[in-house]
Amino acid sequence: MGARGAPSRRRQAGRRPRYLPTGSFPFLLLLLLLCIQLGGGQKKKENLLTEKVEQLMEWSSRRSIFRMNGDKFRKFIKTPPRNYSMIVMFTALQPQRQCSVCRQANEEYQILANSWRYSSAFCNKLFFSMVDYDEGTDVFQQLNMNSAPTFMHFPPKGRPKRADTFDLQRIGFAAEQLAKWIADRTDVHIRVFRPPNYSGTIALALLVSLVGGLLYLRRNNLEFIYNKTGWAMVSLCIVFAMTSGQMWNHIRGPPYAHKNPHNGQVSYIHGSSQAQFVAESHIILVLTF
């Protein structure tokens, strides 16, 4: 046993310990520093993203649409990181701009944002903001934007695509149409809740009262009901209203006209054959008569 174990002990005594090459230590040290730096950078991005979302949630708690200037736009929309979608309305609401369409679009935009803010599905994945021309001229210049109002969607990652700009001229700016567009771009479905409007009910009640009062006063002579000329005039008015595009306006909700915020030029005729302004219906109605 002792004789057989002697060669084994000699072989073990003859082995030399293995060491790492001297040049490996700088490499390992560099790799360790790189890992630490990447981990610190990732932690910094997470902290920055958390700070952004907390700030946006705080603004949303006070109002459903928050206004942005150039600095806020670049910080919360253009600069990563970002894990939320942002809907931005570019507008010109100052009185000196005289943009009636902007005010009408702002009312619909407010209805949409309030519907999202007070819905049970509200979360930190979608926010609504606004950039006014007089508060963010540099933003308009940066985006090469020369008209208002304009609605854009800024996705969580990447740049906005062509479909991320709402086709206001063709579809109109009704809150329901905006909600449908947002659902297509973000998969967030918003149910629009409009404040109660009793003007239609009041108008219908007045019309029924007027007709009822007229029939009561003429109860002994109702021959005018069988007047063919009168019914023909009523039918022509309905036909003219339909051919003028009034029903299309009611469905699509287009603006009355378009005013360029830069040169103040007002357009009453739409440049595309796929859309129209409300003013065109009035012009056609007058020309028809």
Side-chain angles (χ1 to χ4, degrees):
M1 292 293 290
R4 287 196 299 270
S8 176
R9 288 194 293 271
R10 286 196 294 268
R11 285 195 299 268
Q12 292 177 0
R15 291 179 180 175
R16 296 180 179 179
R18 296 180 181 180
Y19 299 98
L20 291 174
T22 306
S24 299
F25 288 101
F27 174 75
L28 292 176
L29 182 60
L30 180 61
L31 183 61
L32 179 61
L33 293 176
L34 182 61
C35 292
I36 294 175
Q37 184 177 4
L38 290 176
Q42 183 66 25
K43 186 65 174 179
K44 184 178 180 181
K45 286 184 178 180
E46 292 178 358
N47 293 337
L48 180 59
L49 179 59
T50 303
E51 180 183 349
K52 280 185 174 182
V53 174
E54 289 178 353
Q55 181 65 70
L56 292 173
M57 290 296 291
E58 180 183 351
W59 287 342
S60 297
S61 64
R62 288 183 286 180
R63 57 179 58 189
S64 55
I65 301 174
F66 41 85
R67 306 174 76 96
M68 284 192 170
N69 54 21
D71 294 335
K72 292 180 179 179
F73 179 83
R74 284 183 287 271
K75 178 180 179 182
F76 292 95
I77 297 179
K78 299 295 291 183
T79 305
R82 192 175 69 249
N83 64 350
Y84 49 84
S85 294
M86 182 73 73
I87 307 297
V88 184
M89 175 184 178
F90 298 91
T91 185
L93 294 176
Q94 297 300 322
Q96 64 269 20
R97 300 297 174 185
Q98 298 180 357
C99 182
S100 59
V101 180
C102 295
R103 291 191 292 271
Q104 297 172 13
N106 181 56
E107 293 176 359
E108 294 294 318
Y109 190 52
Q110 191 72 49
I111 291 174
L112 176 64
N114 287 336
S115 299
W116 167 245
R117 173 64 184 84
Y118 297 106
S119 69
S120 58
F122 175 75
C123 62
N124 58 4
K125 298 300 181 182
L126 178 65
F127 298 98
F128 290 85
S129 63
M130 177 189 303
V131 177
D132 193 280
Y133 178 77
D134 293 282
E135 299 173 358
T137 307
D138 53 338
V139 179
F140 277 75
Q141 295 174 352
Q142 180 182 355
L143 299 176
N144 295 323
M145 193 173 297
N146 55 11
S147 62
T150 301
F151 297 93
M152 287 188 65
H153 164 243
F154 292 88
K157 296 181 180 179
R159 296 182 177 181
K161 300 178 181 179
R162 183 176 181 180
D164 288 314
T165 300
F166 182 68
D167 192 355
L168 183 145
Q169 303 296 341
R170 184 176 64 88
I171 304 177
F173 48 74
E176 290 77 9
Q177 298 296 336
L178 287 169
K180 183 179 179 180
W181 167 68
I182 291 174
D184 292 337
R185 305 309 305 164
T186 65
D187 291 331
V188 175
H189 298 271
I190 304 175
R191 183 180 178 184
V192 177
F193 294 95
R194 291 186 175 273
N197 186 1
Y198 302 104
S199 58
T201 305
I202 295 175
L204 179 62
L206 291 176
L207 178 62
V208 172
S209 300
L210 180 62
V211 173
L214 181 62
L215 292 176
Y216 178 78
L217 294 176
R218 299 291 299 274
R219 59 185 181 276
N220 296 326
N221 185 10
L222 300 178
E223 294 180 0
F224 69 95
I225 297 179
Y226 304 98
N227 191 330
K228 296 182 179 180
T229 303
W231 286 111
M233 293 297 296
V234 172
S235 301
L236 284 176
C237 290
I238 296 175
V239 170
F240 290 153
M242 295 299 105
T243 55
S244 67
Q246 192 62 35
M247 184 56 66
W248 190 93
N249 295 337
H250 179 72
I251 296 174
R252 298 289 187 175
Y256 187 84
H258 174 69
K259 182 176 182 179
N260 193 312
H262 296 284
N263 54 26
Q265 183 179 359
V266 180
S267 300
Y268 297 98
I269 306 296
H270 199 280
S272 173
S273 60
Q274 303 296 324
Q276 70 176 25
F277 296 133
V278 177
E280 295 182 53
S281 301
H282 297 167
I283 294 172
I284 295 175
L285 186 63
V286 172
L287 293 177
T288 304
F289 279 105

